[in-house]
Amino acid sequence: MAWIWTALTGILFLYVIQELLTQIFKKKKKQPPSPNGLPILGHLHLIGKNPHQDLNRLSQKHGPIMYIRFGSVPTYVLSSPAGAELILKTHDAVFASRPPHEASKYICHEQRNITFGRYGPYWRDMRKLCTLELLSGHKISQFQAMRKSEIGLFVLSLKESAEKHETVDVSKRVAGLSADMVCLMVFGRKYEDKDFDENGFKAVVTETLELGAVLNLGEYFPVLGLLDVQGLTRRMKRLGKIFDVFLEKIIDDHVEKKQEKKQTLDFVDTMMGIMASGKAGFEFDRRHVKAVLVDMIVAGMDTSATVIEWAMSELIRHPQVMKKLQKELETVVGLDHMVEESHLESLGYLEMVVKETMRIHPVAPLLLPHESMEDCVIDGYHIPKNSRVIVNTYAIGRDPKVWPNPEKFSPDRFLDNNVDMKGRDFRLLPFGSGRRGCPGMQLGLIVVRLVIAQLVHCFDWELPDGMLASDLDMEDHFGSVTCRNTHLLANPTYRLQK
Ligand code: HEM
């Protein structure tokens, strides 16, 4: 026991010295405002289970560029469109890296994935390859028939529930649809829960997402990481092994069946083809393929499903908005047809509903953390190399200086303006922007628009058991993907004339 006390006293001593040096250094260079912190902890005690909301509250008091310290990690929080633009556009090249990330170290082969890849030639080449080969408009359109068939089955099963007057777990059903569509694109087949391991496919992906966002004390206090006091490293290593066994088996299956003619190559076929041909032009073996496959499943599955879940929650709470969207669908599509992807371009109000949903419920409210690769001055403030930088899009989306009446769900606010959601307008950044902006945006938007349109066109929706709209729990649950705190339950009534 004595050695633990000696070690802790040593660490405390080092932190006090570090703190003093930081204070001396800070006096020389202008630092952004900062809340009062504690020795060692920094500002960790001010952050609870919904960090986007806590940081929003703090920035309302301390300003849109704020300095906080998580243990030993200096962090800068930007909460205004102008600040976001400085990080994601003006100085994009400086802030395009990601901090070390333990989950992705164990699950994605030493951060060889895109999402948490450190900025450098490997990350650039891999991102370019995935953008061209997996997420291009051409590749996405190859899966159009698959989406039509899966969404058709989904509507059919909801219609059955409607006929039986069943209450539907909208969150669960939409998550299942999204998982099926992602698996068909990535692996060429659906996976039942039991196919993955004894924990189930969805549970393993959910745990990976959870570990990706959990407050990992080891990242802020290296010594706690060594001791693995939260047991996270153990869980990450276990998940890494489960994914590895699963992906190895899938890759082997694909290699064995290589000769079979397929109409559309799934992502595993495409990646293995590139590996065999050597056309990647950089080190590219099974480890890299597996890391990117995890990215595609984890980044693709829950993001779109969560946007749909939030949109349906808001539409059910706002029947007049739902009616207006149904009117648009009746005009463009007609009550004797289901929605097709070709209709999406003509559905202007649907676009506004999607924008408004993502303004008020951004799926990644703090984007993913960025890291500075060199010292930089932002709005007169000094941000040193290797600092963590967070853009709080939740705060931007709810800032009354940016959005009049920000708490109100009102798609019509986008009527007379050209606010873009694809990273060109820093008031609305659901996909981030710049070098690290989401490469799956086009795919995500097609799925989100199509599924919302279909759900609203094919069904009327009501809350169960006479529940009032004002009773619906709209609390967030922060994570890699910030979803509803409770599942959305509702009763559908089929409304098409076919
Ligand atoms: C509506 C659905 C989606 C939303 C709202 C969304 C949002 C985001 C956001 C906010 C980021 C972080 C940007 C930053 O840190 O600055 C991101 C990154 C990323 N997204 Fe998406 N995403 C969606 C769908 C998808 C899909 C379908 C895929 C692929 C199948 C995907 C793949 C990725 C990847 C690989 C990154 C990391 C990019 C990098 O670090 O270079 N996303 N996404």
Side-chain angles (χ1 to χ4, degrees), residues 110-312:
E110 302 291 335
Q111 273 180 254
R112 282 193 171 88
N113 57 337
I114 308 174
T115 311
F116 282 99
R118 311 298 295 264
Y119 186 81
Y122 168 73
W123 169 81
R124 255 196 332 260
D125 290 341
M126 187 54 116
R127 181 173 159 122
K128 198 161 145 205
L129 184 86
C130 291
T131 309
L132 283 174
E133 302 284 347
L134 307 181
L135 301 169
S136 67
H138 175 65
K139 191 76 183 169
I140 294 171
S141 68
Q142 289 182 342
F143 290 98
Q144 186 171 338
M146 176 278 283
R147 285 190 291 275
K148 182 174 172 165
S149 145
E150 288 306 307
I151 295 175
L153 290 173
F154 174 67
V155 168
L156 212 62
S157 96
L158 287 175
K159 194 177 167 197
E160 281 168 19
S161 298
E163 279 159 8
K164 291 188 215 150
H165 304 287
E166 276 173 6
T167 296
V168 167
D169 185 334
V170 181
S171 307
K172 194 169 165 198
R173 297 276 192 115
V174 170
L177 168 69
S178 177
D180 284 348
M181 290 200 290
V182 167
C183 286
L184 282 163
M185 280 185 72
V186 178
F187 305 131
R189 57 162 286 196
K190 296 184 206 176
Y191 279 90
E192 300 294 329
D193 268 1
K194 62 180 170 26
D195 290 335
F196 205 73
D197 80 330
E198 70 279 8
N199 295 322
F201 182 69
K202 187 78 183 67
V204 172
V205 176
T206 305
E207 193 177 351
T208 307
L209 281 165
E210 193 190 311
L211 285 178
V214 84
L215 196 129
N216 181 355
L217 292 177
E219 283 177 13
Y220 308 122
F221 307 100
V223 72
L224 297 183
L226 289 177
L227 299 173
D228 192 20
V229 284
Q230 291 165 287
L232 293 177
T233 309
R234 195 170 19 87
R235 280 171 72 194
M236 289 170 194
K237 285 183 178 165
R238 182 179 62 81
L239 274 185
K241 279 202 190 106
I242 295 176
F243 261 118
D244 213 53
V245 171
F246 177 71
L247 292 174
E248 279 292 339
K249 185 169 174 330
I250 289 185
I251 293 176
D252 286 344
D253 285 352
H254 277 70
V255 172
E256 260 172 44
K257 294 186 186 143
K258 210 171 96 192
Q259 306 313 333
E260 285 178 16
K261 276 259 167 295
K262 280 190 186 172
Q263 251 186 344
T264 308
L265 295 184
D266 58 51
F267 288 8
V268 179
D269 293 322
T270 309
M271 288 311 228
M272 292 310 285
I274 294 168
M275 192 179 113
S277 70
K279 85 172 190 191
F282 56 94
E283 194 194 4
F284 189 78
D285 56 34
R286 275 194 179 214
R287 287 168 308 166
H288 307 86
V289 173
K290 286 185 285 185
V292 167
L293 291 177
V294 174
D295 251 359
M296 295 297 133
I297 309 166
V298 173
M301 230 161 94
D302 279 18
T303 43
S304 310
T306 301
V307 181
I308 298 165
E309 175 192 49
W310 279 121
M312 289 308 292

